[in-house]
């Protein structure tokens, strides 16, 4: 059984279905999805649950009072739901000891077993850096978040969470205090909290395998002898992450890696499932 956590609002339900479908296509074990939400209509939750059940899997919808993070900053295209992953251990059932958190703007193109079963080695999280984009920003992030000894700045869109250990060591009071102390320095709010508070409790993994930022593929192909071509990605990458404002379900999207999103969304469209 795979336990997967998602936190979103109604706007991201269509791409969430594409993510789910991509997971079903590339894995043999059953899934239980835990959806933490505040602003999704009951009929939409029922439709999503029926979609998951038809594929032989399970959806557990868990309402979160939006007041839980009412004082946390929300800006640009970020919503209050992004913070819910920080409190997941308060809502997940007691038998869940580990969970894979995934942003809804992701597709899986290979099995997830290796990441899901990975040894935490005493860490709270397993996550990847977007290496190509963080090298320049690392010093700035360390100064901004006051983490001079941090190994890097990790993307929280794909994250194995040690729920058993989080129940002991992750406290909302600490998160609230960090947000108050850094309110005007937060750039990627929930991600800043994880990197700022738990920088020494994150096990790093390869971002090109487990959290490939689709924005940079086309740029990297302009470099001499690019390390990762489409064939390499097809064979080795587990998750393609469509970070930023440009999304592959929008008509004007031009990124080469949009082909992977379309691979799974087109099947759903043929089956009459809405993916936009």
């Amino acid at each position: 059984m795979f336990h997967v956590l998602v936190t979103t609002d109604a706007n991201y339900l269509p791409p969430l279905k594409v993510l789910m479908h991509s997971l079903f296509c590339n894995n043999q074990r059953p899934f239980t999805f835990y959806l933490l939400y505040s602003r999704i209509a009951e009929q939409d939750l029922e439709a999503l649950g029926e979609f998951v059940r038809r594929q032989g899997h399970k959806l557990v919808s868990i309402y979160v009072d939006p007041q839980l993070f009412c004082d946390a900053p929300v800006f640009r295209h970020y919503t209050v739901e992004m913070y819910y992953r920080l409190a997941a251990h308060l809502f997940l059932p007691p038998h869940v000891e580990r969970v894979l958190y995934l942003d809804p703007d992701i597709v899986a193109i290979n099995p997830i077993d290796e990441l899901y079963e990975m040894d935490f080695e005493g860490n709270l999280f397993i996550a990847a850096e977007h290496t190509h984009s963080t090298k320049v920003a690392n010093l700035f992030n360390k100064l901004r978040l006051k983490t001079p000894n941090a190994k890097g700045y990790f993307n929280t869109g794909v994250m194995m969470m040690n729920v058993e250990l989080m129940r002991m060591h992750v406290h909302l009071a600490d998160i609230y205090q960090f947000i108050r102390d850094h309110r005007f320095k937060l750039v990627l709010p929930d991600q800043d909290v994880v990197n700022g508070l738990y920088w020494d409790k994150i096990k790093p993994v390869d971002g090109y395998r487990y959290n490939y930022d689709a924005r940079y593929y086309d740029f990297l192909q302009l470099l001499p002898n690019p390390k990762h071509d489409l064939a390499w990605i097809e064979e080795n990458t587990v998750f393609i992450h469509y970070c930023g404002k440009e999304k592959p379900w929008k008509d004007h999207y031009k990124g080469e890696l949009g082909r992977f999103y379309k691979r799974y969304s087109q099947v759903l469209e043929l089956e009459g499932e809405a993916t936009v």
Side-chain angles (χ1 to χ4, degrees):
M1 172 70 72
F2 292 119
H3 298 288
V4 176
L5 172 70
V6 290
T7 66
T8 189
D9 60 15
N11 292 323
Y12 272 84
L13 289 182
L16 174 58
K17 288 169 69 174
V18 177
L19 165 61
M20 290 173 164
H21 180 63
S22 71
L23 288 166
F24 301 155
C25 289
N26 290 290
N27 295 276
Q28 301 302 314
R29 279 196 266 171
F31 284 86
T32 296
F33 292 93
Y34 298 92
L35 170 61
L36 301 186
Y37 75 97
S38 294
R39 299 173 298 166
I40 302 177
E42 189 63 33
Q43 62 266 28
D44 292 333
L45 291 172
E46 291 176 1
L48 184 64
E50 179 58 28
F51 166 75
V52 172
R53 283 191 295 274
R54 285 200 306 269
Q55 311 297 321
H57 306 277
K58 183 179 180 181
L59 175 69
V60 179
S61 300
I62 303 172
Y63 175 78
V64 178
D65 187 339
Q67 293 301 305
L68 188 69
F69 286 100
C70 63
D71 293 328
V74 173
F75 46 84
R76 298 198 301 275
H77 55 286
Y78 301 106
T79 65
V80 70
E81 285 84 0
M82 68 184 166
Y83 291 104
Y84 294 173
R85 76 194 82 177
L86 304 176
H89 56 293
L90 303 178
F91 297 98
L92 293 171
H95 69 274
V96 176
E97 297 181 351
R98 63 170 56 212
V99 73
L100 172 60
Y101 172 83
L102 294 172
D103 277 349
D105 56 350
I106 285 171
V107 292
I109 65 171
N110 277 300
I112 69 171
D113 305 67
E114 186 176 345
L115 177 63
Y116 191 88
E117 301 293 350
M118 193 171 288
D119 189 344
F120 281 102
E121 299 179 3
N123 290 290
L124 292 169
F125 308 104
I126 299 172
E129 282 190 277
H130 284 158
T131 309
H132 41 267
S133 59
T134 55
K135 281 184 177 179
V136 175
N138 263 345
L139 179 59
F140 169 70
N141 287 324
K142 289 179 180 182
L143 291 170
R144 181 171 60 88
L145 301 176
K146 298 179 180 178
T147 56
N149 297 317
K151 297 176 184 176
Y153 183 81
F154 295 91
N155 183 275
T156 55
V158 177
M159 193 164 52
M160 281 302 304
M161 306 175 76
N162 189 341
V163 183
E164 185 177 27
L165 213 57
M166 289 177 69
R167 293 187 178 110
M168 293 186 278
H169 297 292
V170 175
H171 308 291
L172 281 184
D174 296 336
I175 293 170
Y176 292 156
Q177 188 62 52
F178 184 88
I179 291 172
R180 284 193 293 269
D181 292 344
H182 298 81
R183 184 174 195 87
F184 300 108
K185 300 177 184 177
L186 299 180
V187 178
L188 301 168
D190 68 294
Q191 193 162 283
D192 284 346
V193 173
V194 171
N195 281 276
L197 275 178
Y198 310 113
W199 59 270
D200 58 343
K201 294 295 181 184
I202 304 172
K203 177 178 175 176
V205 290
D206 183 359
Y208 291 110
R209 289 199 64 207
Y210 295 114
N211 193 344
Y212 199 111
D213 186 340
R215 291 175 296 184
Y216 292 95
Y217 173 80
D218 298 287
F219 168 74
L220 293 175
Q221 299 316 297
L222 299 176
L223 302 177
N225 303 313
K227 183 178 178 181
H228 306 117
D229 58 14
L230 281 175
W232 187 95
I233 291 171
E234 187 87 48
E235 183 175 351
N236 296 281
T237 295
V238 178
F239 295 112
I240 305 290
H241 192 177
Y242 300 99
C243 301
K245 294 180 180 179
E246 302 302 318
K247 303 298 184 184
W249 53 88
K250 295 182 177 179
D251 290 338
H252 61 272
Y253 186 81
K254 294 183 173 62
E256 184 68 31
L257 297 191
R259 66 174 61 204
F260 293 107
Y261 183 88
K262 291 177 181 177
R263 173 184 298 177
Y264 299 103
S265 66
Q266 286 172 348
V267 173
L268 292 182
E269 289 166 8
L270 289 172
E271 295 174 354
E273 298 284 353
T275 60
V276 292

